[in-house]
């Protein structure tokens, strides 16, 4: 167990630096400043404008060597490559591919004190995880599609047996660690695809079904991606773990996030066999950058996921405990309802919300002493 963990911190663009600082403060307060050696590295759209690259090789090497990577957000609309795609997002995408961060874990949980835009749902009703395959699917074609004479353009869905098997296995393992769906307490993996239309998705479904045979204690369920958008709104309590292809995971996780209050609430852990990358699932929100009003809770909760992952990996109970404390502190702030960020209908800015989380952490420590 390392005495201190090397964390590569990439603050990024837009609201990235603000929400990232909040998460850094909170993890240091929860686990102890001396448990981390934090180093900042540049990446993203601003860096691209300055240097011509959105992911400098030194940043990549540092991320690879660190125990974990914490990210704010990346991308500025309009900062694009000659092919029209965004340059700033290269950082996260390349980390996924080059560090093989195949499992993108996105918890969707309605916290007490937060109201959902859905009718008649209570906090206990929404608690599931979207497990997004993060290295294959349609986005694996990034940079590899073709534009023929500006008449035809193609990108290709990529699926491999190895890639689908490992994400399917991860989904069932995750379900085993959880308590089942809120609706009926059943452990359930829902495979979200378009197996009715494309061979690649039929292959995804087939392999998930094969893997399911090793997990008879977990129910296997299927949903077409279009219909899933309806079910996630109509009966979110049915879901426990949803496993899906890269782009579908990107799309459905935004819907999931908004059903539990806001994009600002949604953390994301992107994990491979050796490395972990942690950030909120939202973008860089350039329209509110620098105003001090961004909701930092998604990134703070991602910080908690980082501590939990590091703790489990290095058998460090103190770090796992610190992760739990952050979760509890966030829950307390939300339940109290006095320091809610603007996207949740409150009046508090980034600083005030972060301070409220820090105070809630402190109170717990005093209570425990
Ligand atoms: C996400 C983001 C990224 C994605 C972007 C920034 C590349 O939207 O993590 O969901 O599309 O995967
Ligand atoms: Mn997204």
């Amino acid at each position: 167990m390392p005495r201190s963990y090397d964390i590569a911190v990439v603050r990024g663009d837009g609201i990235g630096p603000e929400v990232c600082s909040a998460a850094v403060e909170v993890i240091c307060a929860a686990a102890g400043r001396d448990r981390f050696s934090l180093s900042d590295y540049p990446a993203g759209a601003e860096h691209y404008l300055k240097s011509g690259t959105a992911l400098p090789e030194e940043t990549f090497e540092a991320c690879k060597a660190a125990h974990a990577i914490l990210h704010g957000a990346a991308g500025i609309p309009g900062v694009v490559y000659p092919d029209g795609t965004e340059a700033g997002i290269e950082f996260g995408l390349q980390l996924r591919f080059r560090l093989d961060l195949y499992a993108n874990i996105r918890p969707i949980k309605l916290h007490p004190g937060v109201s959902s835009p859905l009718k008649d749902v209570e906090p206990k009703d929404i608690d599931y995880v979207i497990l997004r395959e993060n290295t294959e699917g349609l986005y694996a074609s990034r940079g590899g599609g073709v534009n023929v004479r500006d008449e035809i353009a193609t990108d290709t869905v990529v699926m491999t047996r190895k890639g689908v098997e490992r994400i399917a296995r991860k989904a069932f393992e995750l379900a085993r660690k959880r308590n089942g769906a809120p609706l009926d307490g059943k452990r359930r993996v829902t495979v979200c695809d378009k197996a009715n239309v494309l061979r690649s998705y039929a292959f995804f479904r087939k392999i998930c079904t094969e893997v399911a045979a090793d997990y008879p204690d977990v129910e296997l369920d299927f949903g077409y991606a279009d219909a899933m958008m309806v079910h996630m709104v109509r009966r979110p309590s049915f879901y426990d773990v949803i496993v899906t292809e890269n782009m579908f995971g990107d799309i459905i996780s935004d819907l999931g996030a908004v059903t539990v209050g806001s994009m600002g609430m949604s953390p994301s852990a992107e994990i491979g066999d050796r490395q972990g990358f942690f950030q909120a699932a939202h973008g860089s929100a350039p329209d509110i950058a620098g105003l001090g009003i961004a909701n930092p809770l998604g990134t703070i909760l991602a910080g908690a996921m980082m501590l939990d992952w590091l703790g489990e990996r290095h058998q460090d109970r103190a770090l796992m405990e610190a992760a739990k404390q952050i979760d509890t502190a966030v829950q307390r702030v939300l339940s109290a309802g006095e320091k809610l960020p603007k996207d949740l209908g409150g009046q508090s800015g980034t600083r005030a919300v972060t301070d409220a989380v820090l105070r809630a952490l402190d109170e717990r420590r005093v209570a425990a002493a």
Side-chain angles (χ1 to χ4, degrees):
M1 179 172 75
R3 227 160 47 86
S4 108
Y5 295 88
D6 293 327
I7 310 293
V9 180
V10 176
R11 294 170 194 269
D13 305 308
I15 60 169
E18 302 160 60
V19 294
C20 197
S21 295
V24 165
E25 281 185 58
V26 170
I27 61 167
C28 289
R33 176 69 190 83
D34 58 339
R35 300 304 317 276
F36 305 111
S37 164
L38 302 152
S39 312
D40 265 70
Y41 298 96
E46 296 245 19
H47 194 74
Y48 174 78
L49 288 174
K50 272 191 269 176
S51 70
T53 172
L55 174 54
E57 234 4 69
E58 305 86 87
T59 297
F60 174 74
E61 288 302 330
C63 288
K64 188 173 164 191
H67 288 107
I69 308 145
L70 183 66
H71 182 219
I76 301 176
V79 178
V80 294
Y81 291 136
D83 68 4
T85 63
E86 249 190 68
I89 58 178
E90 200 65 50
F91 167 61
L93 290 166
Q94 287 304 324
L95 279 195
R96 290 170 184 171
F97 299 132
R98 292 173 69 187
L99 298 178
D100 201 22
L101 308 173
Y102 63 91
N104 188 334
I105 302 169
R106 299 188 154 180
I108 305 292
K109 189 172 158 75
L110 182 58
H111 294 280
V114 178
S115 63
S116 169
L118 304 183
K119 226 177 28 182
D120 302 330
V121 296
E122 290 176 36
K124 61 173 178 32
D125 296 331
I126 311 185
D127 183 359
Y128 60 89
V129 174
I130 294 172
L131 182 61
R132 162 182 179 185
E133 201 296 320
N134 220 25
T135 55
E136 305 196 330
L138 191 53
Y139 292 177
S141 280
R142 160 97 171 168
V146 283
N147 174 331
V148 183
R149 300 182 300 274
D150 262 353
E151 295 290 347
I152 309 163
T154 61
D155 284 301
T156 308
V157 179
V158 178
M159 301 272 186
T160 67
R161 174 168 284 277
K162 176 183 160 208
V164 182
E165 256 176 31
R166 67 184 180 177
I167 199 70
R169 217 160 272 291
K170 192 93 183 173
F172 287 98
E173 296 292 341
L174 240 167
R176 277 194 174 159
K177 285 201 202 153
R178 293 170 46 83
N179 300 318
L183 179 72
D184 51 13
K186 280 194 185 156
R187 296 210 158 94
R188 176 176 293 121
V189 168
T190 300
V191 180
C192 167
D193 57 42
K194 281 295 283 180
N196 52 340
V197 180
L198 292 178
R199 282 186 183 158
S200 52
Y201 293 117
F203 176 74
F204 187 85
R205 181 176 285 213
K206 178 166 182 253
I207 291 175
C208 288
T209 307
E210 284 173 21
V211 171
D214 291 341
Y215 301 85
D217 50 316
V218 181
E219 187 179 290
L220 175 64
D221 171 55
F222 302 105
Y224 295 134
D226 48 352
M228 285 301 292
M229 309 297 272
V230 177
H231 301 321
M232 285 163 62
V233 167
R234 283 265 173 83
R235 51 160 192 178
S237 61
F238 181 75
Y239 295 105
D240 180 16
V241 175
I242 301 174
V243 64
T244 190
E245 176 267 344
N246 203 339
M247 183 178 67
F248 288 158
D250 187 19
I251 295 170
I252 73 170
S253 57
D254 279 24
L255 176 65
V258 88
T259 65
V260 295
S262 145
M263 277 306 289
M265 292 303 295
S266 226
S268 166
E270 309 186 27
I271 287 165
D273 291 331
R274 347 167 73 92
Q275 190 49 288
F277 172 46
F278 301 83
Q279 60 180 337
H282 60 65
S284 61
D287 52 327
I288 58 162
L291 301 181
I293 59 170
N295 178 355
L297 293 174
T299 314
I300 288 173
L301 290 169
M305 290 180 88
M306 179 172 84
L307 301 196
D308 188 56
W309 177 78
L310 282 169
E312 204 178 311
R313 192 173 163 77
H314 299 278
Q315 280 135 38
D316 187 335
R317 288 173 149 271
L319 231 57
M320 288 166 84
E321 182 51 36
K324 281 210 196 81
Q325 287 191 12
I326 296 174
D327 274 332
T328 311
V330 169
Q331 306 238 12
R332 277 221 201 165
V333 170
L334 294 168
S335 312
E338 284 154 19
K339 296 283 174 196
L340 291 184
K342 290 195 191 304
D343 58 344
L344 298 182
Q347 294 298 320
S348 302
T350 315
R351 183 71 261 159
V353 174
T354 309
D355 284 340
V357 174
L358 292 170
R359 260 198 312 279
L361 272 174
D362 245 9
E363 281 159 22
R364 270 181 72 79
R365 201 158 305 120
V366 172

